[in-house]
């Protein structure tokens, strides 16, 4: 049963927004966007950021690690073996057991390789990782990842960095209805606040985004907009929207109308 908070592997997070760290102008801007977003989880690419040599400046120096959880990801990996090796490196560096599993199968679209993702997920779960896999919006695959012990499933809404918004709400709805005991988190494709709100109104448990914020003209303002959109979308989902009707219905009562 899903709770009122975003819960991943038994830990509750007050924010349902997860943000990435790529494409910002500086580490300082990344920190400012994080603060504006209210996010409590921030994902970093193990292969693209220095988390091993503590003598050099890196993003972790700019974060309040008492307030935000680091979610290392395996971006740049194209095989299960590469992803598993990257996850192990992150754990050895002391980042923790959380891992965003990303195994890319197509260089142009950046769509995930379903077979390699599932293979890596099964092994990483057995190795004690809390696995959050980036996947296509495929219900059958999502069920297999759930059965493999993943702590969430993170289907794309549209290609990574495209900003196209929710392209297949039906598949997301089916996934939300079928997978009820772990979070369904939209990962990739969100371009603006309305996209985030739509994802949450569908019943998604959270939204992960990077380019939607970092690629905005004012990333800090967009981070705040995304924070409000995620909150508004979740409230709307919990409230339950009014039924859609083809005919008009008067908003004022007709009883007592002077004739």
């Amino acid at each position: 049963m899903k709770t009122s908070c975003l819960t991943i592997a038994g830990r509750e997070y007050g924010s349902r927004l997860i943000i990435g760290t790529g494409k910002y102008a500086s580490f300082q801007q990344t920190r400012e966007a994080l603060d504006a977003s209210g996010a409590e989880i921030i994902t970093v690419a193990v292969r693209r950021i220095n988390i091993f040599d503590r003598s050099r400046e890196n993003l972790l120096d700019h974060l309040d690690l008492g307030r935000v959880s680091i979610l290392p990801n395996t971006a740049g990996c194209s095989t299960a073996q590469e992803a598993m090796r990257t996850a192990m490196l992150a754990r050895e560096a002391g980042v923790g057991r959380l891992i965003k599993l990303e195994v890319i199968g197509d260089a142009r679209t950046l769509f995930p390789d379903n077979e390699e993702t599932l293979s890596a997920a099964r092994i990483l779960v057995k190795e004690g990782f809390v696995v959050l896999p980036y996947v296509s919006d495929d219900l059958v695959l999502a069920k297999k990842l759930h059965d493999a012990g993943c702590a969430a499933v993170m289907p794309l809404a549209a290609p990574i960095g495209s900003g196209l918004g929710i392209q297949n709400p039906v598949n997301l709805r089916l996934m939300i209805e079928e997978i009820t005991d772990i979070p369904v988190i939209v990962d990739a494709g969100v371009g603006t606040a309305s996209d985030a709100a739509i994802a949450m109104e569908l019943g998604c448990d959270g939204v992960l985004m990077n380019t939607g914020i970092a690629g905005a003209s004012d990333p800090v303002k967009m981070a705040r907009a995304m924070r409000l959109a995620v909150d508004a979308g979740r409230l709307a989902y919990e409230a339950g929207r009014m039924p859609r009707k083809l005919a008009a219905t008067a908003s004022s009562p007709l009883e007592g109308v002077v004739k």
Side-chain angles (χ1 to χ4, degrees):
M1 183 68 182
K2 296 179 180 179
T3 67
S4 58
C5 295
L6 175 60
T7 304
I8 298 174
R11 178 170 176 178
E12 293 186 348
Y13 298 90
S15 172
R16 292 178 178 272
L17 175 60
I18 303 171
I19 71 168
T21 55
K23 302 183 180 179
Y24 289 96
S26 64
F27 288 150
Q28 180 61 32
Q29 187 182 67
T30 306
R31 171 62 186 265
E32 291 172 359
L34 172 64
D35 291 344
S37 74
E40 296 176 12
I41 304 174
I42 188 166
T43 183
V44 299
V46 177
R47 287 185 156 203
R48 296 173 186 162
I49 192 167
N50 171 43
I51 63 172
F52 304 104
D53 185 356
R54 300 299 293 169
S55 67
R56 296 168 53 196
E57 182 185 30
N58 68 60
L59 176 65
L60 302 188
D61 297 327
H62 296 262
L63 302 179
D64 179 0
L65 298 181
R67 187 185 73 79
V68 63
S69 295
I70 302 299
L71 174 60
N73 69 61
T74 63
C77 295
S78 58
T79 68
Q81 286 296 326
E82 287 181 352
M84 289 185 291
R85 186 164 56 249
T86 302
M88 298 293 184
L89 286 171
R91 186 165 66 180
E92 289 174 11
V95 180
R97 295 189 306 122
L98 274 176
I99 193 75
K100 178 192 170 187
L101 176 59
E102 186 174 318
V103 186
I104 298 301
D106 182 75
R108 186 176 71 86
T109 62
L110 299 182
F111 284 159
D113 185 315
N114 292 342
E115 292 180 2
E116 293 291 295
T117 299
L118 181 58
S119 176
R122 286 171 170 158
I123 295 171
L124 288 172
V125 168
K126 290 179 181 178
E127 290 288 334
F129 284 89
V130 176
V131 182
L132 285 68
Y134 158 70
V135 297
S136 55
D137 55 353
D138 181 330
L139 175 60
V140 175
L141 174 63
K143 285 183 173 182
K144 290 180 179 180
L145 288 163
H146 167 276
D147 293 344
C150 289
V153 289
M154 303 203 298
L156 56 80
I160 291 174
S162 68
L164 289 172
I166 312 298
Q167 291 298 296
N168 199 334
V170 173
N171 279 8
L172 291 179
R173 282 290 300 274
L174 290 170
M175 203 174 290
I176 291 161
E177 289 174 3
E178 292 283 338
I179 298 175
T180 59
D181 57 344
I182 61 173
V184 176
I185 301 170
V186 159
D187 178 7
V190 171
T192 192
S194 57
D195 298 332
I198 290 170
M200 298 305 295
E201 287 174 8
L202 286 171
C204 291
D205 296 279
V207 180
L208 190 156
M209 67 185 72
N210 185 181
T211 310
I213 295 175
S217 297
D218 188 330
V220 177
K221 282 187 177 179
M222 184 59 81
R224 183 166 181 266
M226 293 296 190
R227 175 182 190 168
L228 296 171
V230 167
D231 288 347
R234 182 64 187 185
L235 284 171
Y237 170 73
E238 291 176 349
R241 65 157 292 136
M242 62 167 285
R244 289 180 171 89
K245 302 175 183 178
L246 290 176
T249 303
S251 58
S252 299
L254 298 178
E255 292 82 3
V257 172
V258 177
K259 296 182 179 179

